């Protein structure tokens, strides 16, 4: 049973994604699991039964669990070995990812190498971060989506530290900017909603100047889309005052990171926000990355306090990408039904543990 958009259920329909025919895999979906560190394995444990449930409904999938994260790094010195990366690149349809980051690795080297290798190596420049508050939460009915460039900008890790001087480069390339913006325009057109580009081209004249130039070109090519650029500081102020006029927000890596944490707060906080990253220019079978927006949350990890909703909704996004729309909608409806019945983890004012919340959600899945 699939609930309709009219009752405020969290979902977006695949047919809004593109105007092209929905894609369906012609083989068993190969899904790699990387639970990672901290709260990652805890929330992943609530996503795995959804894969079993999809299989029981007749979906064909093969699952492989990979050990990469802090424990593996500390034991072996490996972050993401070349052979494993090549297998993900060439033989995998989707990666379901928990989180990486661990206080035992203070420089974050393993997390950086694993995540950046996946995002940059697989050219997953479109990071889609929807925000639809769940039933019972404030701002129900809001529908924001952040399209964050995911491979470059200020997070390209180029820079230097010298005595008294530190430099971080931000590199923006036209192909990545154009692909991210094209995806955002397509989405705004499909949803018939406004598109806003967040930038600071008034000071970041080169990098954000490129974003504005490409944006203006695409505005001319998409006269049906109500699109405008806004300085990111003014945009943040406007969002806090009233997010309802906004629809799709496009931004570079750094601004998109900040803005999507703010939009996550509109939908219940870090524990509820899902994401999906993909490479729009690569064939359908190339791996996508589904992961909650939150990190490894070391402050609450291992205590059963993490909210699994972001991870579970990320799994729904993965199902939708695979063409399993009925499963995607059913998972989203189950999350909404659990929330409507009052199921809450501590971050949302309740007392359920991570696994109890997962169980409550699964209790609303159809057989
Ligand atoms: P990153 O750099 O990857 O964004 P971070 O260290 O900035 O990570 P998170 O790990 O996302 O941040 O944690 C930020 C805050 O959100 C922490 O207080 C954490 O406890 C909380 N948080 C993160 N994930 C969850 C979750 N699943 N449920 C509840 N609270 C969470």
């Amino acid at each position: 049973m699939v609930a309709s958009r009219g009752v405020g259920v969290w979902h977006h329909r695949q047919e809004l994604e593109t105007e092209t025919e929905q894609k369906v895999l012609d083989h068993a979906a190969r899904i790699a699991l990387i639970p990672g560190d901290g709260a990652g394995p805890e929330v992943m444990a609530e996503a795995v039964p959804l894969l079993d449930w999809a299989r029981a409904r007749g979906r064909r999938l093969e699952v492989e669990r990979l050990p990469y994260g802090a424990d593996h790094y500390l034991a072996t010195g490996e972050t993401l070995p070349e052979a494993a990366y090549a297998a993900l690149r060439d033989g995998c349809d989707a990666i379901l990812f928990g989180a990486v980051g661990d206080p035992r690795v203070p420089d974050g080297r393993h997390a950086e190498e694993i995540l950046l290798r996946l995002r940059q190596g697989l050219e997953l420049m479109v990071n889609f971060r929807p925000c639809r508050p769940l039933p019972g939460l404030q701002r129900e009915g809001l529908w924001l989506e952040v399209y964050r460039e995911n491979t470059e900008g200020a997070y390209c890790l180029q820079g230097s530290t010298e005595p008294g001087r530190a430099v971080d480069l931000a590199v923006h390339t036209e192909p990545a900017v154009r692909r991210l913006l094209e995806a955002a325009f397509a989405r705004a057109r499909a949803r018939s909603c406004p598109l806003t580009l967040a930038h600071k081209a008034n000071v970041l004249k080169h990098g954000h100047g490129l974003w504005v130039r490409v944006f203006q070109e695409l505005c001319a090519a998409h006269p049906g889309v109500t699109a405008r650029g806004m300085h990111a500081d003014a945009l943040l102020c406007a969002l806090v005052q009233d997010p309802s006029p906004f629809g799709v927000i496009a931004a570079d890596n750094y601004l998109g990171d900040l803005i999507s944490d703010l939009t996550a707060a509109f939908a219940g906080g870090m524990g509820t926000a899902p994401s999906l990253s993909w490479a729009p220019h690569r064939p359908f079978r190339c791996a996508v990355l589904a992961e909650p927006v939150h990190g490894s949350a070391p402050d609450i990890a291992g205590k059963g306090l993490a909210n699994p909703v972001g991870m579970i909704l990320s799994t729904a996004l993965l199902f939708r990408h695979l063409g399993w729309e009925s499963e995607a909608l059913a998972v989203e409806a189950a999350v909404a039904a659990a929330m409507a019945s009052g199921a809450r983890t501590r971050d949302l004012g309740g007392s359920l543990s991570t696994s109890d919340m997962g169980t409550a959600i699964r209790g609303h899945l159809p057989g």
Side-chain angles (χ1 to χ4, degrees):
M1 175 62 196
V2 166
S4 75
R5 194 182 313 152
V7 297
V9 170
W10 192 104
H11 74 266
H12 72 278
R13 297 291 305 254
Q14 173 72 25
E15 64 263 31
L16 296 182
E17 276 289 322
T18 73
E19 290 169 351
T20 59
E21 200 178 321
Q22 185 166 327
K23 297 162 178 168
V24 180
L25 284 184
D26 57 4
H27 59 261
R30 294 156 303 194
I31 301 174
L33 306 184
I34 304 182
D37 305 328
E42 291 175 82
V43 295
M44 181 67 82
E46 305 312 312
V48 169
L50 303 176
L51 303 177
D52 298 332
W53 167 79
R55 187 185 287 112
R57 287 166 56 92
R59 297 299 187 184
R60 294 165 57 222
L61 67 153
E62 297 163 4
V63 174
E64 185 175 3
R65 182 181 288 264
L66 300 176
Y68 305 112
D71 285 344
H72 184 81
Y73 173 63
L74 291 169
T76 66
E78 284 181 342
T79 54
L80 179 62
E82 183 55 35
Y85 166 72
L88 290 170
R89 184 191 58 211
D90 302 331
C92 171
D93 299 298
I95 303 165
L96 197 52
F97 195 90
V100 280
D102 189 298
R104 293 171 298 164
V105 189
D107 66 0
R109 177 166 175 253
H110 76 294
E112 198 174 285
E113 286 192 15
I114 294 169
L115 257 188
L116 291 188
R117 192 79 204 279
L118 292 175
R119 290 176 181 168
Q120 294 180 349
L122 300 174
E123 299 182 292
L124 303 172
M125 69 264 301
V126 177
N127 180 222
F128 171 66
R129 296 184 161 195
C131 157
R132 299 200 78 178
L134 293 158
L137 298 181
Q138 287 181 338
R139 301 187 190 277
E140 205 179 327
L142 183 68
W143 188 3
L144 296 178
E145 292 172 340
V146 177
Y147 276 71
R148 167 190 172 187
E149 200 290 318
N150 207 23
T151 58
E152 51 182 46
Y155 294 180
C156 63
L157 299 182
Q158 296 177 34
S160 60
T161 303
E162 302 153 21
R165 182 181 144 88
V167 176
D168 287 307
L169 285 181
V171 178
H172 305 264
T173 66
E174 183 157 345
V177 170
R178 190 172 289 280
R179 285 177 188 131
L180 185 282
L181 288 177
E182 280 172 349
F185 268 91
R187 183 66 172 162
R189 190 183 53 214
R191 278 185 54 193
S192 302
C193 74
L195 168 64
T196 308
L197 170 68
H199 68 86
K200 283 292 287 179
N202 50 336
V203 277
L204 304 175
K205 294 184 192 306
H206 304 282
H208 284 193
L210 170 66
W211 277 84
V212 168
R213 177 175 65 73
V214 176
F215 187 72
Q216 285 170 346
E217 283 174 31
L218 292 175
C219 284
H222 297 272
V225 175
T226 305
R228 67 170 172 154
M230 278 183 82
H231 292 154
D233 43 355
L235 170 63
L236 288 168
C237 181
L239 278 171
V240 170
Q241 285 175 325
D242 180 12
S244 61
F246 295 91
V248 173
I249 299 170
D252 78 351
N253 209 341
Y254 186 32
L255 293 178
D257 193 9
L258 305 183
I259 292 166
S260 60
D261 272 24
L262 173 63
T263 58
F266 294 145
M270 294 305 295
T272 63
S275 82
L276 185 77
S277 302
W278 68 90
H281 58 302
R282 301 185 76 198
F284 174 53
R285 286 179 190 175
C286 288
V288 298
L289 181 67
E291 56 177 327
V293 164
H294 65 76
S296 60
D299 53 333
I300 58 167
K303 301 174 184 162
L305 294 176
N307 189 337
V309 165
M311 183 83 239
I312 288 171
L313 290 176
S314 300
T315 311
L317 293 179
L318 184 153
F319 287 170
R320 178 164 291 120
H321 167 80
L322 294 172
W324 304 350
E325 182 65 17
S326 60
E327 282 76 12
L329 287 170
V331 169
E332 290 163 355
V335 171
M339 290 290 299
S341 73
R344 300 274 190 283
T345 43
R346 202 179 67 166
D347 54 312
L348 297 182
S351 59
L352 293 187
S353 67
T354 308
S355 61
D356 287 344
M357 187 69 191
T359 304
I361 291 168
R362 291 194 294 281
H364 291 278
L365 286 175

